[in-house]
């Protein structure tokens, strides 16, 4: 990489692109959270509600504790202990504290406590209530008792100290004379008191934990569901799996404004179609693309509205355009323009009418329509006939562009019949509806017939997914010229090989 202003400019652009990529990744995460926000909210509130219910029905637990000192008595020569003797005595007391902590929680000690206090508990139940732990680097043992009754917790804690102190004395004096002095002694340095407030449950802590667990688990579930969702959600994903270039993405078109380039010329959707037309111009720089097939993998992906608006936006730019409804099974193109379907393509292909008799003028200047006409029992045969070829040749003499609206290419063969007679194909995928498997199947079907795929467009992108428009601006705004020049070079004269 050469040094100088150009290299600095390159590095600066690269840093900007990296920052944009990071922003896009963050937007992807936010999109998933936004998509599943109701699931996240429901699961979180369910966890919080469960925590409230459980906390409200929990029995309060009180805690009372005492501290025991383990002391080792020694006799020393000359009346004073050496430093080493004193240190060894302390170490021994610490080890004894650990040992005695285990002895306090024994069955024999529990039996003696029950006998002394008269509490109605079994030894196993009492052991579960008592916890004895040596305090680190000391000779102290902390005995803690948890119980539903605060007074009984204090009673058991103090009784534990008295019982264990007597137990240690009995062990030390076993076999010695009554005048002998035990070497190990237990002293209660801090007796138990009656607790004033329960230690369990802790409502605030439980709610905070429930909120955290609910958010974490529901967010994880949202990302899992998003991972399991096999539909195409953005152009990057479609480009990655298909190897095709994106011609642009179309937002959701409002009901009642199907011909959006006419009904809402300043809308985001209308601007998206104008951008799509511009992208096609980059690919069609040598004016070899005049007849375009619009198809998709499945039904309900918006091919008809897409075809109508694409034809309209090209016509509004000054070209003569013919929109043809090649869906002879379930035609809808005439409905978008509010025209009749009594006479159309089917009549032309059976030789019943001429081209002039089937042409209908639309409300868009320089845009004409040929409807599908009456339903035909053999649509694929009609579209593959010699009359279809003659029809297209005559239409190309009269019009600059011909847009063919076709049925789904995976469901029927009608579109595949027409691709060999067209100059290019635009694939349509509906955001969050078209599956990756169906899109790849469509791509494979077009490869087999050597279709010239111009690219794809992602349709019905929700306006709340702002990240999509951000990426759209990145590709077709900042880097439009370089991106589409490479795309047009890739598409120029190429046909997809099998």
């Amino acid at each position: 990489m050469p040094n100088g202003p150009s290299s600095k400019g390159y590095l600066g652009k690269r840093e900007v692109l990296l920052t944009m990529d990071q922003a896009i990744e963050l937007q992807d995460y936010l999109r998933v959270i936004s998509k599943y926000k109701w699931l996240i909210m429901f699961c979180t509130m369910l966890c919080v509600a469960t925590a409230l219910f459980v906390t409200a029905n929990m029995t309060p637990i009180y805690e009372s504790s005492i501290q025991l000192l383990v002391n080792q008595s020694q006799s020393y020569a000359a009346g004073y202990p050496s430093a080493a003797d004193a240190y060894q005595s302390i170490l021994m007391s610490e080890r004894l504290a650990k040992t005695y902590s285990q002895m306090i929680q024994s069955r024999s000690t529990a039996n003696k406590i029950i006998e002394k206090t008269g509490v109605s508990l079994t030894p196993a139940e009492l052991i579960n209530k008592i916890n004895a732990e040596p305090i680190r680097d000391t000779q102290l043992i902390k005995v803690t008792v948890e119980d539903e009754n605060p007074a009984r917790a204090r009673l058991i804690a103090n009784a534990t100290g008295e019982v264990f102190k007597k137990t240690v004395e009995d062990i030390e004096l076993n076999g010695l004379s009554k005048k002998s002095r035990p070497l190990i002694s237990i002293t209660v340095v801090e007796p138990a008191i009656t607790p004033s407030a329960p230690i369990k449950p802790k409502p605030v802590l439980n709610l905070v934990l429930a909120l955290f667990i609910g958010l974490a688990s529901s967010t994880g579930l949202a990302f899992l569901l998003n991972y399991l969702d096999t539909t195409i959600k953005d152009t990057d994903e479609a480009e990655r799996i298909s190897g095709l270039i994106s011609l642009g993405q179309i937002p959701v078109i409002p009901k009642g404004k199907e011909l959006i380039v006419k009904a809402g010329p300043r809308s985001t959707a209308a601007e998206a179609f104008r951008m799509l037309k511009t992208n096609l111009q980059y690919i069609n720089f040598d004016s070899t693309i005049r007849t375009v097939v619009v198809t998709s993998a499945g039904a309900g992906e918006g091919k008809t509205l897409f075809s109508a608006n694409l034809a309209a936006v090209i016509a509004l730019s000054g070209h003569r355009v013919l929109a043809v409804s090649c869906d002879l099974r379930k035609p809808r193109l005439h409905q978008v323009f509010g025209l009749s379907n009594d006479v159309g393509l089917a009549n032309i292909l059976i030789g019943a009418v001429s081209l002039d008799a089937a042409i209908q003028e639309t409300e868009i200047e320089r845009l004409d329509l040929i409807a599908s006409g009456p339903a035909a029992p053999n649509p694929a045969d009609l579209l593959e006939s010699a009359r279809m070829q003659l029809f297209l040749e005559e239409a190309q003499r009269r019009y600059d562009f011909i847009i063919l609206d076709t049925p789904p290419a995976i469901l029927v063969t009608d579109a595949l019949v027409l691709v060999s007679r067209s100059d290019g194909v635009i694939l349509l995928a509906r955001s969050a509806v078209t599956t990756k498997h169906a899109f790849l199947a469509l791509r494979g079907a077009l490869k087999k017939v050597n279709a010239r795929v111009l690219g794809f467009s992602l349709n019905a992108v929700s306006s709340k997914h702002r990240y999509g428009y951000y990426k759209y601006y990145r590709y077709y705004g900042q880097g439009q010229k370089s991106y589409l020049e490479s795309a047009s070079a890739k598409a120029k004269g190429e046909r997809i090989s099998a």
Side-chain angles (χ1 to χ4, degrees), residues 107 110 114 120-130 146-147:
R107 180 174 291 273
I114 293 172
S120 56
L121 296 171
T122 64
E125 291 173 338
L126 184 60
I127 291 172
N128 288 332
K129 293 178 179 290
I130 299 174
E146 295 182 0
D147 195 82

Side-chain angles (χ1 to χ4, degrees), residues 256-268:
K257 295 184 178 181
E258 283 78 7
L259 200 59
I260 191 66
V261 297
K262 177 71 173 179
R266 295 186 178 181
S267 65
T268 306

Side-chain angles (χ1 to χ4, degrees), residues 244-359:
L244 299 173
I245 62 171
S246 171
L247 300 174
Q249 55 185 16
I250 309 300
V252 176
I253 298 176
K255 290 184 178 180
K257 295 184 178 181
E258 283 78 7
L259 200 59
I260 191 66
V261 297
K262 177 71 173 179
R266 295 186 178 181
S267 65
T268 306
E271 182 60 34
F273 277 108
R274 284 191 286 269
M275 184 65 72
L276 175 66
K277 174 186 68 69
T278 302
N279 296 339
L280 286 174
Q281 287 177 343
Y282 273 95
I283 295 175
N284 191 30
F285 65 93
D286 55 358
S287 300
T288 58
I289 302 172
R290 297 182 58 197
T291 304
V292 177
V293 169
V294 177
T295 190
S296 67
E301 297 184 346
K303 292 180 301 299
T304 299
L305 290 185
F306 181 88
S307 300
N309 282 281
L310 177 60
V313 77
I314 295 175
L316 290 171
S317 67
H319 297 285
R320 290 281 298 168
V321 182
L322 178 65
V324 183
S325 178
C326 296
D327 189 345
L328 305 182
R329 303 169 190 269
K330 295 182 179 179
R332 287 190 59 246
L333 190 60
H334 64 282
Q335 297 176 1
V336 178
F337 293 100
L339 298 175
S340 170
N341 193 40
D342 294 337
V343 178
L345 182 62
N347 303 94
I348 296 175
L349 298 181
I350 62 175
V353 298
S354 64
L355 175 61
D356 291 321
I359 291 176

Side-chain angles (χ1 to χ4, degrees), residues 51-260:
L52 283 173
F53 178 79
V54 172
T55 300
N57 288 275
M58 286 179 65
T59 302
I61 302 297
Y62 296 85
E63 181 183 87
S64 186
S65 62
I66 62 171
Q67 286 189 1
L68 306 178
L69 174 65
V70 180
N71 190 32
Q72 182 180 13
S73 300
Q74 293 285 354
S75 57
Y76 301 98
Y80 296 97
S82 65
D85 291 336
Y87 179 69
Q88 290 298 324
S89 176
I90 292 173
L91 286 180
M92 181 61 69
S93 297
E94 290 181 8
R95 294 191 185 101
L96 288 172
K98 295 179 181 180
T99 303
Y100 289 159
S101 297
Q102 300 299 319
M103 292 176 60
I104 290 173
Q105 295 174 272
S106 65
R107 180 174 291 273
S108 60
T109 303
N111 284 324
K112 293 176 183 179
I113 295 172
I114 293 172
E115 183 179 348
K116 181 176 180 62
T117 58
V119 295
S120 56
L121 296 171
T122 64
E125 291 173 338
L126 184 60
I127 291 172
N128 288 332
K129 293 178 179 290
I130 299 174
N131 181 47
E133 291 184 353
I135 299 176
R136 185 180 178 85
D137 298 328
T138 69
Q139 299 167 234
L140 298 174
I141 301 174
K142 184 178 181 179
V143 180
T144 304
V145 177
E146 295 182 0
D147 195 82
E148 297 86 353
N149 188 317
R152 190 166 68 171
R154 175 189 58 79
L155 175 65
I156 294 174
N158 286 326
T160 300
E162 295 173 9
V163 167
F164 192 68
K165 178 180 180 181
K166 182 67 170 57
T167 299
V168 172
E169 289 178 355
D170 292 343
I171 293 174
E172 290 296 316
L173 294 176
N174 186 25
L176 301 177
S177 63
K178 294 182 179 180
K179 294 182 180 181
S180 299
R181 185 179 177 185
L183 297 178
I184 307 297
S185 63
I186 302 294
T187 304
V188 178
V189 295
E190 187 176 330
I193 60 173
T194 303
S196 59
I199 61 166
K200 300 176 184 178
K202 298 179 179 179
V204 175
L205 178 61
N206 290 349
L207 290 180
V208 171
L209 288 176
L211 182 64
F212 175 77
I213 293 172
L215 282 174
S217 59
S218 59
T219 303
L221 177 61
F223 278 95
L224 175 62
L225 292 175
N226 185 72
Y227 174 78
L228 297 176
D229 183 4
T230 60
T231 59
I232 296 173
K233 292 171 282 293
D234 58 66
T235 54
D236 285 348
E237 192 173 32
E239 285 180 340
R240 185 173 60 254
I241 65 174
S242 68
L244 299 173
I245 62 171
S246 171
L247 300 174
Q249 55 185 16
I250 309 300
V252 176
I253 298 176
K255 290 184 178 180
K257 295 184 178 181
E258 283 78 7
L259 200 59
I260 191 66

